[in-house]
Every structure is written in structure tokens, then in C-alpha cells.
Amino acid sequence: KTLGVLMPVYSGDTKEAFQDAWESIYIHQTRKADEYVIVKDGPVDNDLLNYIKYLEQLPIVKVVSIEKNVGLPNALNAGLDVMKASWVIRADSDDINIPIRIDRIYNGLENKYVLYTSPVLEFIDDPNVITSIRGCKDRFGFLLTNPINHASSVFSRSAAIDVGKYRDFKFFEDIDLWIRLTGNSGKIKCDEKPLVKFRMNEQAFRRRMGLVYLKHEYKFLVNCYSEGYITIIQLIIRIIIGFFVRNLSSRLYQWLISNLLRKRYVESVRR
């Protein structure tokens, strides 16, 4: 088995955050991946561009440069097209990877799985100050709740290609791929150890709010129903919940997530 890191970057990223993320998945790892693919999705500022050009000189690094921004799903697919590794490690351009991540993935992968994930440690701005822990599960919930943290996800490259790679579902491109990879159940390995520090700041919460997000969520859910992954009852319940949640204030939404969804996992770890 071979491991490849897939890392997209775009104009919204800063050189400082990207460098921290890169060093955490390359320099500070106890085991390096066999291949690293950076996808530059459209123009970026000069400091970040120069840093990417420097990284391109490294022997196991490939850089895919896309002239105009094409969006995350298409950028990820462009990276998959040039990658040779059998397993794809997702790495966000502003998160911090725990030094043992790649080594633990390598030792934990088994052929019976198509997806591998782990809990993530959430922080706001300082990765040394953890605010919460988000768990993971080995299957989807009744209402198609996502059991996988995309920031810590690893998947079979050949399996992803077989099901059509990423599709254009903004905000939901990851879970859309996970559902098609697993058939909505099983084939997921959830590591018990957190392997990524995930940046969950005010901006991250705001991205999950409002009518624009709700519109994309509706499109995704209707497609899940049309493809047979959920029933009409599940679809209706999800739409009602989504309409309520996406119209909350960002502060109230953040409170609900932090105190209901995240707190239970932290307590279970302490016990």
C-alpha cells in the first residue's frame, strides 16, 4: 500500500496558515507519505505562490496549478487524476496534523475498508488551545448524519475513481463521496485516537449558516433521496431540521454544537 497526501489551496488561504499545515503533514511527521499533491485552485497571493513554487522542487511533491478557481470538488479531482498512491490522505490547508498521523494510518489500514477517519481536536486560532473534540463513527446515522471528519479522512483512490470521484455539491462534496464509497453503511474504520487539529473558528461556523448553505443542503439531500440513500420521511425530517438550524444566529448555533454534539464525546473520553 502507498499513501498520498492531497492538499488543495486557494485565494482564501494565507501563506502562514498553509506553511503551518504543510510542515505538520510533511516535516513533523514520524513517517512521510509516498507522495504529496498540492492543488493550487486559481490565483493566490505572491507570498503563498512563492512558497508553493519552493515546495514543488521537493522530489515527492507534485503541484497542480489551475489558472482560474474551479471550486473544491474539481480541484480535488484534479489532484486525484495525477496521484499514483493507492490511499489518499486529505489534508486541509489551515489545519494541523498530529505528528503520528501518517504512521498510524499506515499501520491501521486494512483492505476490507475503503474509508479511514479519526476524531479531531478543535481549536479557534491557537492550535495549542483545544476547545473541543469531535468524534467519529463507523457508519452513517439514521438521518444520514456524517460519521467522518473530512479533515482526518483517508480513502481508497481506486474506489473513489470507480464511483465517479467528487461531484459538484458545494459544502457536501465529501459526504457525497463517502456515501457512494460505503453504500451508506460499513467499510469505515474509525480510529480511536485524534490525528488532526481542526480550525473551528467563527468563520467556520458562519459558513454553515444562512440560506445559501441551506440551498446547497437541500440540493444534496434531494439527490440522496433520488439515488435511494434516504427515504422520503428522512428527507422531510432533514429539511425541517436544516431550515431551523441554518437560520439560527451563529452564536446560538456555535453554542448548540459545542455543548450538545461535542460535549458528549469529551465526557465519554474522560470516562
Side-chain angles (χ1 to χ4, degrees):
K1 57 189 172 187
T2 52
L3 304 179
V5 171
L6 178 57
M7 197 172 192
V9 58
Y10 78 121
S11 61
D13 293 313
T14 66
K15 188 256 186 181
E16 291 75 17
F18 177 80
Q19 183 172 351
D20 288 343
W22 170 260
E23 290 181 355
S24 76
I25 197 64
Y26 183 80
I27 294 176
H28 302 311
Q29 288 294 307
T30 57
R31 179 194 190 105
K32 282 187 171 54
D34 301 285
E35 180 183 16
Y36 291 79
V37 176
I38 299 170
V39 182
K40 185 178 72 65
D41 184 16
V44 296
D45 68 51
N46 287 333
D47 287 342
L48 181 53
L49 179 61
N50 290 332
Y51 186 66
I52 293 173
K53 288 180 177 179
Y54 162 73
L55 297 179
E56 192 172 13
Q57 301 174 38
L58 298 173
I60 58 174
V61 175
K62 299 177 184 176
V63 174
V64 178
S65 293
I66 304 173
E67 184 176 350
K68 295 182 179 179
N69 182 276
V70 294
L72 184 57
N74 291 321
L76 291 169
N77 285 338
L80 287 178
D81 288 340
V82 303
M83 183 171 283
K84 304 299 182 184
S86 55
W87 289 91
V88 181
I89 300 173
R90 280 288 304 276
D92 280 351
S93 54
D94 60 351
D95 295 334
I96 304 298
N97 298 272
I98 305 298
I100 62 169
R101 184 187 180 193
I102 295 178
D103 191 45
R104 192 168 176 92
I105 289 169
Y106 185 85
N107 292 317
L109 283 175
E110 300 177 42
N111 289 333
K112 65 180 179 180
Y113 300 110
V114 295
L115 268 169
Y116 178 105
T117 187
S118 76
V120 296
L121 305 172
E122 296 182 332
F123 68 96
I124 297 176
D125 292 309
D126 184 353
N128 294 314
V129 180
I130 303 302
T131 58
S132 56
I133 304 176
R134 184 195 305 176
C136 62
K137 296 181 180 180
D138 62 1
R139 61 187 64 247
F140 286 84
F142 172 71
L143 293 178
L144 210 64
T145 50
N146 192 355
I148 299 162
N149 295 310
H150 81 271
S152 66
S153 63
V154 185
F155 58 90
S156 165
R157 178 177 170 273
S158 61
I161 291 173
D162 288 344
V163 299
K165 300 185 290 187
Y166 286 95
R167 298 192 296 191
D168 192 16
F169 288 102
K170 188 174 182 179
F171 304 123
F172 297 90
E173 61 276 337
D174 288 307
I175 187 173
D176 173 63
L177 177 59
W178 309 155
I179 292 170
R180 287 178 288 124
L181 280 174
T182 65
N184 199 8
S185 64
K187 301 179 182 178
I188 303 170
K189 178 167 183 178
C190 177
D191 198 323
E192 63 182 14
K193 190 173 184 65
L195 298 176
V196 174
K197 294 182 179 181
F198 181 75
R199 191 182 302 271
M200 195 66 183
N201 52 21
E202 181 73 16
Q203 183 180 3
F205 279 107
R206 288 184 180 276
R207 282 198 298 266
R208 293 161 173 79
M209 305 298 298
L211 293 179
V212 172
Y213 189 95
L214 184 63
K215 175 184 175 182
H216 289 289
E217 186 173 32
Y218 176 80
K219 175 186 174 182
F220 164 70
L221 291 170
V222 169
N223 185 77
C224 288
Y225 170 70
S226 68
E227 293 185 349
Y229 293 113
I230 55 175
T231 66
I232 186 65
I233 299 300
Q234 291 170 308
L235 173 65
I236 293 172
I237 295 173
R238 275 295 304 267
I239 290 175
I240 292 173
I241 293 174
F243 182 81
F244 170 74
V245 170
R246 306 308 169 193
N247 284 286
L248 295 173
S249 68
S250 61
R251 181 169 296 182
L252 180 56
Y253 176 67
Q254 184 174 353
W255 184 90
L256 288 173
I257 294 295
S258 300
N259 290 276
L260 297 182
L261 297 183
R262 302 294 188 265
K263 185 178 180 180
R264 283 198 295 266
Y265 184 80
V266 172
E267 289 177 345
S268 68
V269 169
R270 288 174 178 169
R271 287 196 297 269

